[in-house]
Amino acid sequence: MGQRHWVRTTKCQLIVTSLFVMLLGLAVTILTIITHYGAHFSVISGVSSEANPYRIFHNVAFYSGICLTMILVLAALLSTVATVRESVCLMAMGFFCFAIVFCALIQAAFWRYTNNSEVEDAMMDVYDSVYEEVRRNLSSFRRQELATIHETFLCCGKQSPFGETGGIEKETCPSEPMGTARADCLQEIQDFLKKHMDFVSVLLIITICFMVYGMILTSFLWFSICFSNNLDRKGKYIFRET
C-alpha cells in the first residue's frame, strides 16, 4: 500500500509539473516573439550591418526559442500520456525531452555568464556606427534610421564630455521636452538590455529547476512501472498438456 501511495502521488506531481512546463513553454514563446519582433530589438536589427554580429544573435535567439518551446510542449504531452497509460516507452521519451532541454539550458546559462557583454557591445556598436555615419556623411537615409532609434529608446544622442548638444541631436531627437528623453542613448540601450536579460535569467533558472524535477519524476515512475510489470509476470504459470 505504501509503494502504491508513493506511485499515485508521483503521478499527480508529474501531471502538475507537466502543466507548469506547458506554461513555461508559453512564456518562452512570448519572450521569443518579444525578442524577435519587439520594437527595440527590431530597430537595431534593421539598421545593423553585415559585419556586426547582432543579426546572428538575433536570429539564433529566435530559432532557439522556437525549438525550446516545441521540446517543452512535447515533454509535457509525453509525460502526461505516459502517466495516464503507464507506458514505459513514452515515459522514457519524456525523460529524454526533459534531459535535452536541461542540457541546452545549462549550455545557454554558461554562455550567458561567460559572454555577458557580447550582445550589449553588438547593440551599442550598431548605434555608434549609425551615429558616426550620420555625423560624417549626413546621409538622409541614415539620419532617418538614427531618428527612429531615438524615438524607440526615448534617448538623444551620445553624452558629450562638454555637455553640449550637436546638430545631429537637434535634428534626430524626439520632439518631446528634454526632460522626457535620456541624454545618452548608449546608456539607455545598456539599461534596456540589462532588464531584458534579467528576465531571461529568471525564466532560465525556473525552467532548469522544472527540468530537473521532471527528470526525477519520470525516472522514478519508469522504474516503478517496470517493477510493477515484473511483479505482474511473477506467479503466472502456464500449464501444458502432457
Side-chain angles (χ1 to χ4, degrees), residues 5-55:
H5 174 73
W6 276 104
V7 172
R8 197 179 303 113
T9 304
T10 306
K11 287 181 179 180
C12 295
Q13 291 176 353
L14 183 56
I15 292 176
V16 173
T17 302
S18 299
L19 294 177
F20 277 105
V21 171
M22 291 284 287
L23 293 178
L24 285 174
L26 178 61
V28 172
T29 302
I30 295 174
L31 182 63
T32 301
I33 293 174
I34 292 175
T35 303
H36 191 74
Y37 296 104
H40 296 80
F41 295 102
S42 296
V43 68
I44 296 295
S45 178
V47 303
S48 63
S49 61
E50 295 182 357
N52 191 287
Y54 177 75
R55 284 189 180 181

Side-chain angles (χ1 to χ4, degrees), residues 107-126:
Q107 185 176 3
F110 178 78
W111 187 91
R112 164 75 175 85
Y113 289 103
T114 55
N115 303 274
N116 189 27
S117 62
E118 286 196 16
V119 178
E120 177 183 309
D121 293 341
M123 290 186 70
M124 291 192 293
D125 287 344
V126 171

Side-chain angles (χ1 to χ4, degrees), residues 1-241:
M1 292 295 293
Q3 182 181 358
R4 291 182 179 179
H5 174 73
W6 276 104
V7 172
R8 197 179 303 113
T9 304
T10 306
K11 287 181 179 180
C12 295
Q13 291 176 353
L14 183 56
I15 292 176
V16 173
T17 302
S18 299
L19 294 177
F20 277 105
V21 171
M22 291 284 287
L23 293 178
L24 285 174
L26 178 61
V28 172
T29 302
I30 295 174
L31 182 63
T32 301
I33 293 174
I34 292 175
T35 303
H36 191 74
Y37 296 104
H40 296 80
F41 295 102
S42 296
V43 68
I44 296 295
S45 178
V47 303
S48 63
S49 61
E50 295 182 357
N52 191 287
Y54 177 75
R55 284 189 180 181
I56 298 177
F57 296 145
H58 193 69
N59 293 330
V60 168
F62 176 73
Y63 292 114
S64 298
I66 295 299
C67 293
L68 182 62
T69 300
M70 294 173 62
I71 300 176
L72 284 172
V73 173
L74 182 61
L77 292 177
L78 287 174
S79 301
T80 303
V81 175
T83 303
V84 174
R85 294 188 176 183
E86 294 187 351
S87 172
V88 176
C89 180
L90 293 178
M91 193 68 70
M93 293 174 64
F95 174 86
F96 185 67
C97 290
F98 283 125
I100 290 177
V101 176
F102 173 77
C103 294
L105 293 182
I106 289 297
Q107 185 176 3
F110 178 78
W111 187 91
R112 164 75 175 85
Y113 289 103
T114 55
N115 303 274
N116 189 27
S117 62
E118 286 196 16
V119 178
E120 177 183 309
D121 293 341
M123 290 186 70
M124 291 192 293
D125 287 344
V126 171
Y127 179 81
D128 277 333
S129 176
V130 176
Y131 186 90
E132 291 301 322
E133 287 187 23
V134 173
R135 187 178 65 84
R136 291 195 306 264
N137 302 326
L138 298 178
S139 170
S140 59
F141 180 71
R142 281 299 195 181
R143 187 182 305 169
Q144 181 61 38
E145 291 179 341
L146 186 62
T148 303
I149 295 175
H150 289 167
E151 292 176 2
T152 303
F153 285 92
L154 295 179
C155 58
C156 185
K158 296 191 292 185
Q159 186 174 3
S160 172
F162 303 102
E164 298 178 354
T165 302
I168 298 176
E169 284 79 4
K170 293 179 180 179
E171 294 179 2
T172 60
C173 286
S175 58
E176 287 84 355
M178 292 301 295
T180 62
R182 293 285 186 97
D184 189 359
C185 281
L186 296 179
Q187 185 63 43
E188 178 65 19
I189 293 173
Q190 186 179 17
D191 293 342
F192 169 78
L193 188 60
K194 183 180 182 302
K195 293 177 182 178
H196 184 79
M197 294 306 294
D198 287 343
F199 184 77
V200 171
S201 298
V202 172
L203 185 60
L204 191 67
I205 294 173
I206 294 174
T207 308
I208 289 176
C209 294
F210 271 98
M211 294 305 102
V212 173
Y213 192 54
M215 287 190 293
I216 293 173
L217 294 178
T218 50
S219 59
F220 176 79
L221 285 177
W222 186 86
F223 283 109
S224 298
I225 294 172
C226 290
F227 183 72
S228 176
N229 291 337
N230 291 333
L231 287 180
D232 291 339
R233 293 191 187 99
K234 292 181 179 180
K236 293 182 178 179
Y237 301 95
I238 299 176
F239 296 95
R240 295 180 179 177
E241 296 181 359

